Amino acid sequence: MLSVKNLQVKVDDKQILNGLDLSVNAGEVHAIMGPNGSGKSTLSHVLAGRDGYEVVGGQVLLNNENLLELSPEQRAHKGVFLAMQYPVELPGVNNMSFIREAINSIHRARNEEELGTIEFLQRIRKTAALLQLDEKLLKRNVNVGFSGGEKKRNEILQLAMLQPQLAILDETDSGLDIDALRVIAEGVNTLRSPQRAIILVTHYQRLLEYIQPDFVHVLLNGRIVRTGDKQLALELEQKGYNWIMEEDAA
Amino acid sequence: MTVPAQNPQTVKQPQVQQQEWFQHLLEDSPLADNENPVSLNKFRLSARQSMKTAPVLNRKQEAWRYNRVDEVFKNNFDLKLDAELKDFRNINEAIIENHQLPQLNSLKLVFVNGCFDKTMSNISHLPDGVILSSIAATLRENPEWLKAWFKLNDKYAEQPFNALNSALFKDGMYLHIGKRVKLDRPIEIIYLNSKKTRSLQHDGSMLLTRNIIHLQAGASAQLVEYFISKKNNKYFYNNVTEILLAEKAQLKHTRIQDESRMAYHLSSLYVSQKKHSKYHSSSFAFGGCWAKTDYKVDFEAQQSECDLYGLYTVGNQQLIDFHLDVQHSVPSCCSREKFKGLIYGKGRAVFDGRILVAKQAQHSDAALTNDNLLLVKDAEVYTKPQLEIYADDVKCSHGTTVGRLDPQQVFYLRSRGIDEAHARRMLCQGFSEDVVESVELEEVRTYLAKKIASTLNETEQQTV
C-alpha cells in the first residue's frame, strides 16, 4: 500500500531524513521507534503533507500513486490520516460539525453520498462511547479546553469516524496515563482490518504492549537502521538505543 | 521641465470645501417650517448655528485620523429624492427579499429612502404602554411627546454630521415603553435605499433618520435594525439614535449594516443609562465604501451594565470604522466591549475603543478587546484601545490583536479532507462565533452566519 523509497527531507536547510525506506502492506501494523530528533515526526508530517518540509530526494507511493504531489486534503481523500502529537485547538468550530464536514468532504471528493444526520449521530455516539469520550466534548469547540488525554481521544475518534486506509499515529501515547492509554489502544485495535494499515510512531514500547505490531522499525539519523518484530521493541526498552547507534556506526 | 502653476481658484482649501459641503445641504432645506412645532424649529436652528462653529474634520483629530473623511466631501450628496420611489413597492420588496432577512414575528418599521413606509410596516396591535411610531407622524400628531427631547441641550452638536442630522432629519422611529412593560415581540427596523439614478451634479442622496428610544423604569425590549440597499447604489446614510434607559430598563439591540459597496454610512448612538439598567448591543458592519459607527454610552447612575459586541468584515476599497466611548462617571458600573474584524480585501478597518473611568467611579468593571484577522496582504487595521482611569479601585482590562490565520489550524482541517478555502472559511466563522452568539434571536444568528459565509466566499475570488 505504502512504499517509501530513499526519502530525503530537509527542514530549514537541515537534512532530517537521509534516505528512508519503508514498505507497508494493507492489514499490517508498523511501529516506528527512535530517539528524539531521529526524524519520526518529520516522517509523519511529510506523509500527511504538512508545509515546511522540503523533499529533496526519493519517492512516496500510496497504491502506486505519487503521494508527494497531493495536497493534504487530497491525501485525506485517498485515505491518509494523521493523528497528531499536538492536536491544535479550533476556537468557534464545533467538534461534531467539524467531524461531519470532514467525512462529507471526503465523501464528496470520492463521489460518494454524504452521510445522513441520523447515521452520523449514531456512529459518533457509539464511537465516543467506545473511546470513553464524554459526549459533551462533541458539542464543544474542537479541542478547546480539552485535557491532553481528551485531545488524544478526540484524534482517535476522528480516526475511527474517517475510516482511513492508512492511519499514522504520531506519539499518540505521549502524555497519557495508563488507563487512557489502554482505552485508546483498544479503540485502535478495533480499527485493525485487512484493508487498513497502521503506522505507530512512538518513543516507548509501552503502547506496543496494547497494540501488537507486525513490524518494528528503528529510525536513527533519518534512516531506518533496523527492522524486526515486537521482540525488537522489548530489546530497545531494556537496552536503549545506544547499542544500535554503535552497531550502526561500526 | 517646469510644472505649470495650478489655478488657485480651482483648488479649494479642505476646510472651505467642507463648509461648503455642509452649507449646500442646509441650503437645500428651509430654515423653519410653520407646520413644525416651535420646539423643533428652535432645535433645528440651534443645530445650524452650531455647525457654523463646529471644527473642521481632519486627520489631526484623533477621532478622524485614519478615517479619510476628505473622501466624503468629494461627493455631491443632496436631499432631493426622499419619497420619490416610495410607490414602487415591488422594487422595495424585491430588495428586502434579495437580502433574505430573517423571518421574525415582529413589530416592523420600514423606512424607504429615509421616510417611513406605512404599507410595508406593521406596528398595529401594540400592547398597552407601548408607543411605536415614526418620528414624522409623532411630530405631526403628538409633538408634545417630543418636547422634552428638544429641550435637551443640543449635546450632539460638536460633530457636524450629527448637527446636520439635527437640522435636517426627516423621519425616524419613536419608541416609548412605559413602566414595567416587557415587550415580548422584537421590533425590526429596515432602512432601505432604492434610489438608482446618478448624474454629474448628483452623486446620490443624503438620507437622515433620527431615532428616539425611551424605556421607562423596568421596561424591556429587543430591537433589530437592518440597513440595506440595492446593489451599487450610492448615497449617504446618516442615522442618529438616542437611547434613554430608566432604572432597571433593559434593551437588547442588534444592528446589521449591509449596504451597497458604494454607500457612505454614519451611525451615531447615544445611550444614557440609569440605575440597574442594561444595554446589550451587537453591531455588524458588512457593507459601504465608507462606514462609521460611533457609540457613546453614559452611565448616569450606579450598577448599570452595558455590553457592546461587534463584528466587521472589510473587503477591497472598504473603510469600516467603529468608535466606542464608554463613560464610567459614577461608581459600580460594568461595561464589556468585544469587537472583531475580518479583513479579507485591500481595505481598512479602524477601531477606537475608549473607556473613561472618572475619579469618583470606584468599583468600575470594564473590559475591552478587539481582535482582527488579516486574510490578505495589503489589508490595514488601525486599532486603538484607550483606557483612561482616574479612579484607583477598579477592575479594567483591554487587549487588541491583529493576526493571520494560524497555518497549523488550516493544516489540521485540511489533513481531515477539508479543502483549503473551506478550512479558512470555517476558521473565520469560528473566529466570529462569539460575536454572532451574542445575538439572542436564533433566526438572526442563522442569518448572520450565512451572511459571514457568503462574504468570505468573496475572499476566495479576491485572493485568487
Side-chain angles (χ1 to χ4, degrees), chain A residues 79-106:
Chain A
V80 176
F81 181 94
L82 171 65
M84 310 225 181
Q85 183 180 3
Y86 303 110
V88 292
E89 302 188 356
L90 306 179
V93 180
N94 175 273
N95 203 15
M96 199 123 73
S97 330
F98 153 64
I99 295 173
R100 188 160 180 208
E101 191 54 46
I103 293 174
N104 284 334
S105 294
I106 292 171

mmCIF file of all heavy atoms in Angstrom, chain A residues 79-106:
data_model
loop_
_atom_site.group_PDB
_atom_site.id
_atom_site.type_symbol
_atom_site.label_atom_id
_atom_site.label_comp_id
_atom_site.label_asym_id
_atom_site.label_seq_id
_atom_site.Cartn_x
_atom_site.Cartn_y
_atom_site.Cartn_z
ATOM 1 N N GLY A 79 -7.281 8.487 1.646
ATOM 2 C CA GLY A 79 -7.305 7.570 2.778
ATOM 3 C C GLY A 79 -6.146 7.670 3.741
ATOM 4 O O GLY A 79 -5.893 6.750 4.511
ATOM 5 N N VAL A 80 -5.422 8.811 3.729
ATOM 6 C CA VAL A 80 -4.342 9.000 4.694
ATOM 7 C C VAL A 80 -4.889 9.772 5.892
ATOM 8 O O VAL A 80 -5.636 10.735 5.732
ATOM 9 C CB VAL A 80 -3.171 9.789 4.061
ATOM 10 C CG1 VAL A 80 -2.077 10.062 5.101
ATOM 11 C CG2 VAL A 80 -2.594 9.030 2.875
ATOM 12 N N PHE A 81 -4.534 9.329 7.075
ATOM 13 C CA PHE A 81 -4.966 10.049 8.280
ATOM 14 C C PHE A 81 -3.794 10.135 9.242
ATOM 15 O O PHE A 81 -3.123 9.150 9.531
ATOM 16 C CB PHE A 81 -6.121 9.316 8.966
ATOM 17 C CG PHE A 81 -6.629 10.028 10.197
ATOM 18 C CD1 PHE A 81 -7.692 10.903 10.103
ATOM 19 C CD2 PHE A 81 -6.032 9.817 11.438
ATOM 20 C CE1 PHE A 81 -8.154 11.578 11.230
ATOM 21 C CE2 PHE A 81 -6.494 10.487 12.567
ATOM 22 C CZ PHE A 81 -7.562 11.370 12.463
ATOM 23 N N LEU A 82 -3.576 11.341 9.767
ATOM 24 C CA LEU A 82 -2.524 11.536 10.762
ATOM 25 C C LEU A 82 -3.158 11.946 12.087
ATOM 26 O O LEU A 82 -3.789 12.997 12.182
ATOM 27 C CB LEU A 82 -1.547 12.628 10.291
ATOM 28 C CG LEU A 82 -0.513 13.102 11.326
ATOM 29 C CD1 LEU A 82 0.452 11.976 11.699
ATOM 30 C CD2 LEU A 82 0.267 14.306 10.804
ATOM 31 N N ALA A 83 -2.990 11.108 13.094
ATOM 32 C CA ALA A 83 -3.387 11.502 14.444
ATOM 33 C C ALA A 83 -2.216 12.277 15.023
ATOM 34 O O ALA A 83 -1.107 11.755 15.123
ATOM 35 C CB ALA A 83 -3.697 10.279 15.295
ATOM 36 N N MET A 84 -2.456 13.522 15.356
ATOM 37 C CA MET A 84 -1.336 14.412 15.644
ATOM 38 C C MET A 84 -0.829 14.282 17.067
ATOM 39 O O MET A 84 -1.585 14.000 17.997
ATOM 40 C CB MET A 84 -1.759 15.854 15.397
ATOM 41 C CG MET A 84 -2.413 16.020 14.043
ATOM 42 S SD MET A 84 -1.841 17.433 13.153
ATOM 43 C CE MET A 84 -2.862 17.252 11.681
ATOM 44 N N GLN A 85 0.447 14.590 17.198
ATOM 45 C CA GLN A 85 1.049 14.583 18.530
ATOM 46 C C GLN A 85 0.504 15.744 19.360
ATOM 47 O O GLN A 85 0.225 15.600 20.533
ATOM 48 C CB GLN A 85 2.573 14.695 18.392
ATOM 49 C CG GLN A 85 3.267 14.612 19.729
ATOM 50 C CD GLN A 85 4.781 14.725 19.614
ATOM 51 O OE1 GLN A 85 5.315 14.929 18.524
ATOM 52 N NE2 GLN A 85 5.463 14.580 20.724
ATOM 53 N N TYR A 86 0.382 16.913 18.710
ATOM 54 C CA TYR A 86 -0.156 18.088 19.406
ATOM 55 C C TYR A 86 -1.373 18.611 18.646
ATOM 56 O O TYR A 86 -1.263 19.516 17.837
ATOM 57 C CB TYR A 86 0.898 19.197 19.482
ATOM 58 C CG TYR A 86 2.177 18.774 20.142
ATOM 59 C CD1 TYR A 86 3.353 18.624 19.408
ATOM 60 C CD2 TYR A 86 2.216 18.515 21.517
ATOM 61 C CE1 TYR A 86 4.543 18.232 20.020
ATOM 62 C CE2 TYR A 86 3.397 18.120 22.133
ATOM 63 C CZ TYR A 86 4.555 17.981 21.380
ATOM 64 O OH TYR A 86 5.711 17.592 21.981
ATOM 65 N N PRO A 87 -2.542 18.025 18.903
ATOM 66 C CA PRO A 87 -3.737 18.483 18.175
ATOM 67 C C PRO A 87 -4.027 19.953 18.511
ATOM 68 O O PRO A 87 -3.977 20.342 19.667
ATOM 69 C CB PRO A 87 -4.850 17.583 18.716
ATOM 70 C CG PRO A 87 -4.157 16.434 19.376
ATOM 71 C CD PRO A 87 -2.858 16.970 19.871
ATOM 72 N N VAL A 88 -4.274 20.760 17.480
ATOM 73 C CA VAL A 88 -4.498 22.188 17.725
ATOM 74 C C VAL A 88 -5.946 22.433 18.154
ATOM 75 O O VAL A 88 -6.844 21.641 17.876
ATOM 76 C CB VAL A 88 -4.190 23.053 16.482
ATOM 77 C CG1 VAL A 88 -2.706 23.046 16.179
ATOM 78 C CG2 VAL A 88 -5.001 22.607 15.286
ATOM 79 N N GLU A 89 -6.143 23.548 18.811
ATOM 80 C CA GLU A 89 -7.483 23.965 19.198
ATOM 81 C C GLU A 89 -8.085 24.813 18.088
ATOM 82 O O GLU A 89 -7.385 25.602 17.463
ATOM 83 C CB GLU A 89 -7.424 24.776 20.503
ATOM 84 C CG GLU A 89 -6.802 24.000 21.644
ATOM 85 C CD GLU A 89 -6.900 24.706 22.986
ATOM 86 O OE1 GLU A 89 -7.380 25.851 23.027
ATOM 87 O OE2 GLU A 89 -6.483 24.093 23.987
ATOM 88 N N LEU A 90 -9.363 24.636 17.839
ATOM 89 C CA LEU A 90 -10.042 25.429 16.820
ATOM 90 C C LEU A 90 -11.188 26.208 17.466
ATOM 91 O O LEU A 90 -12.325 25.726 17.510
ATOM 92 C CB LEU A 90 -10.585 24.530 15.700
ATOM 93 C CG LEU A 90 -9.596 23.583 15.008
ATOM 94 C CD1 LEU A 90 -10.317 22.748 13.947
ATOM 95 C CD2 LEU A 90 -8.460 24.352 14.355
ATOM 96 N N PRO A 91 -10.914 27.395 17.965
ATOM 97 C CA PRO A 91 -11.959 28.167 18.654
ATOM 98 C C PRO A 91 -13.131 28.471 17.722
ATOM 99 O O PRO A 91 -12.930 28.816 16.559
ATOM 100 C CB PRO A 91 -11.247 29.466 19.049
ATOM 101 C CG PRO A 91 -9.791 29.161 18.990
ATOM 102 C CD PRO A 91 -9.630 28.099 17.952
ATOM 103 N N GLY A 92 -14.315 28.302 18.231
ATOM 104 C CA GLY A 92 -15.512 28.651 17.457
ATOM 105 C C GLY A 92 -15.932 27.593 16.453
ATOM 106 O O GLY A 92 -16.942 27.745 15.789
ATOM 107 N N VAL A 93 -15.136 26.505 16.325
ATOM 108 C CA VAL A 93 -15.503 25.446 15.381
ATOM 109 C C VAL A 93 -16.035 24.261 16.183
ATOM 110 O O VAL A 93 -15.299 23.651 16.953
ATOM 111 C CB VAL A 93 -14.293 25.017 14.513
ATOM 112 C CG1 VAL A 93 -14.695 23.917 13.542
ATOM 113 C CG2 VAL A 93 -13.699 26.200 13.773
ATOM 114 N N ASN A 94 -17.290 23.965 15.986
ATOM 115 C CA ASN A 94 -17.938 22.897 16.746
ATOM 116 C C ASN A 94 -17.381 21.524 16.355
ATOM 117 O O ASN A 94 -17.240 21.215 15.174
ATOM 118 C CB ASN A 94 -19.446 22.979 16.485
ATOM 119 C CG ASN A 94 -20.200 21.850 17.130
ATOM 120 O OD1 ASN A 94 -20.351 20.784 16.548
ATOM 121 N ND2 ASN A 94 -20.660 22.076 18.343
ATOM 122 N N ASN A 95 -17.070 20.714 17.367
ATOM 123 C CA ASN A 95 -16.405 19.431 17.135
ATOM 124 C C ASN A 95 -17.222 18.511 16.227
ATOM 125 O O ASN A 95 -16.719 17.948 15.252
ATOM 126 C CB ASN A 95 -16.171 18.759 18.494
ATOM 127 C CG ASN A 95 -15.044 17.741 18.462
ATOM 128 O OD1 ASN A 95 -14.245 17.720 17.512
ATOM 129 N ND2 ASN A 95 -14.972 16.912 19.478
ATOM 130 N N MET A 96 -18.495 18.410 16.540
ATOM 131 C CA MET A 96 -19.350 17.498 15.784
ATOM 132 C C MET A 96 -19.488 17.980 14.327
ATOM 133 O O MET A 96 -19.362 17.190 13.396
ATOM 134 C CB MET A 96 -20.718 17.435 16.460
ATOM 135 C CG MET A 96 -21.507 16.259 16.074
ATOM 136 S SD MET A 96 -21.992 15.265 17.477
ATOM 137 C CE MET A 96 -23.246 16.225 18.237
ATOM 138 N N SER A 97 -19.724 19.270 14.143
ATOM 139 C CA SER A 97 -19.864 19.784 12.766
ATOM 140 C C SER A 97 -18.567 19.606 11.998
ATOM 141 O O SER A 97 -18.568 19.338 10.795
ATOM 142 C CB SER A 97 -20.213 21.265 12.727
ATOM 143 O OG SER A 97 -20.944 21.673 13.802
ATOM 144 N N PHE A 98 -17.462 19.785 12.699
ATOM 145 C CA PHE A 98 -16.159 19.628 12.055
ATOM 146 C C PHE A 98 -15.970 18.195 11.552
ATOM 147 O O PHE A 98 -15.598 17.963 10.393
ATOM 148 C CB PHE A 98 -15.058 20.018 13.055
ATOM 149 C CG PHE A 98 -13.726 19.351 12.842
ATOM 150 C CD1 PHE A 98 -12.988 19.587 11.692
ATOM 151 C CD2 PHE A 98 -13.205 18.488 13.802
ATOM 152 C CE1 PHE A 98 -11.751 18.968 11.502
ATOM 153 C CE2 PHE A 98 -11.979 17.867 13.616
ATOM 154 C CZ PHE A 98 -11.254 18.108 12.458
ATOM 155 N N ILE A 99 -16.263 17.223 12.408
ATOM 156 C CA ILE A 99 -16.066 15.823 12.013
ATOM 157 C C ILE A 99 -17.011 15.460 10.868
ATOM 158 O O ILE A 99 -16.638 14.802 9.899
ATOM 159 C CB ILE A 99 -16.241 14.886 13.228
ATOM 160 C CG1 ILE A 99 -15.117 15.169 14.247
ATOM 161 C CG2 ILE A 99 -16.209 13.414 12.801
ATOM 162 C CD1 ILE A 99 -15.261 14.439 15.568
ATOM 163 N N ARG A 100 -18.229 15.987 10.963
ATOM 164 C CA ARG A 100 -19.188 15.702 9.899
ATOM 165 C C ARG A 100 -18.740 16.323 8.576
ATOM 166 O O ARG A 100 -18.837 15.709 7.516
ATOM 167 C CB ARG A 100 -20.553 16.262 10.307
ATOM 168 C CG ARG A 100 -21.594 15.832 9.358
ATOM 169 C CD ARG A 100 -22.971 15.921 9.918
ATOM 170 N NE ARG A 100 -23.864 15.474 8.867
ATOM 171 C CZ ARG A 100 -25.106 15.878 8.752
ATOM 172 N NH1 ARG A 100 -25.603 16.695 9.640
ATOM 173 N NH2 ARG A 100 -25.836 15.442 7.770
ATOM 174 N N GLU A 101 -18.243 17.542 8.665
ATOM 175 C CA GLU A 101 -17.763 18.227 7.466
ATOM 176 C C GLU A 101 -16.585 17.462 6.860
ATOM 177 O O GLU A 101 -16.476 17.330 5.635
ATOM 178 C CB GLU A 101 -17.351 19.655 7.840
ATOM 179 C CG GLU A 101 -17.084 20.577 6.667
ATOM 180 C CD GLU A 101 -18.242 20.652 5.690
ATOM 181 O OE1 GLU A 101 -19.398 20.798 6.137
ATOM 182 O OE2 GLU A 101 -17.980 20.550 4.472
ATOM 183 N N ALA A 102 -15.711 16.940 7.726
ATOM 184 C CA ALA A 102 -14.558 16.177 7.243
ATOM 185 C C ALA A 102 -15.036 14.920 6.500
ATOM 186 O O ALA A 102 -14.599 14.640 5.383
ATOM 187 C CB ALA A 102 -13.654 15.806 8.419
ATOM 188 N N ILE A 103 -15.952 14.189 7.115
ATOM 189 C CA ILE A 103 -16.456 12.966 6.481
ATOM 190 C C ILE A 103 -17.088 13.306 5.131
ATOM 191 O O ILE A 103 -16.801 12.676 4.104
ATOM 192 C CB ILE A 103 -17.495 12.263 7.386
ATOM 193 C CG1 ILE A 103 -16.809 11.734 8.645
ATOM 194 C CG2 ILE A 103 -18.187 11.120 6.634
ATOM 195 C CD1 ILE A 103 -17.776 11.148 9.660
ATOM 196 N N ASN A 104 -17.919 14.333 5.138
ATOM 197 C CA ASN A 104 -18.620 14.659 3.900
ATOM 198 C C ASN A 104 -17.692 15.216 2.828
ATOM 199 O O ASN A 104 -17.907 14.994 1.642
ATOM 200 C CB ASN A 104 -19.789 15.605 4.188
ATOM 201 C CG ASN A 104 -20.957 14.850 4.825
ATOM 202 O OD1 ASN A 104 -21.096 13.637 4.619
ATOM 203 N ND2 ASN A 104 -21.761 15.532 5.607
ATOM 204 N N SER A 105 -16.652 15.934 3.246
ATOM 205 C CA SER A 105 -15.671 16.413 2.258
ATOM 206 C C SER A 105 -15.025 15.223 1.556
ATOM 207 O O SER A 105 -14.829 15.231 0.341
ATOM 208 C CB SER A 105 -14.576 17.236 2.935
ATOM 209 O OG SER A 105 -15.107 18.414 3.468
ATOM 210 N N ILE A 106 -14.696 14.215 2.346
ATOM 211 C CA ILE A 106 -14.060 13.025 1.774
ATOM 212 C C ILE A 106 -15.050 12.283 0.873
ATOM 213 O O ILE A 106 -14.707 11.898 -0.251
ATOM 214 C CB ILE A 106 -13.514 12.116 2.904
ATOM 215 C CG1 ILE A 106 -12.342 12.829 3.603
ATOM 216 C CG2 ILE A 106 -13.070 10.762 2.356
ATOM 217 C CD1 ILE A 106 -11.850 12.146 4.865
#
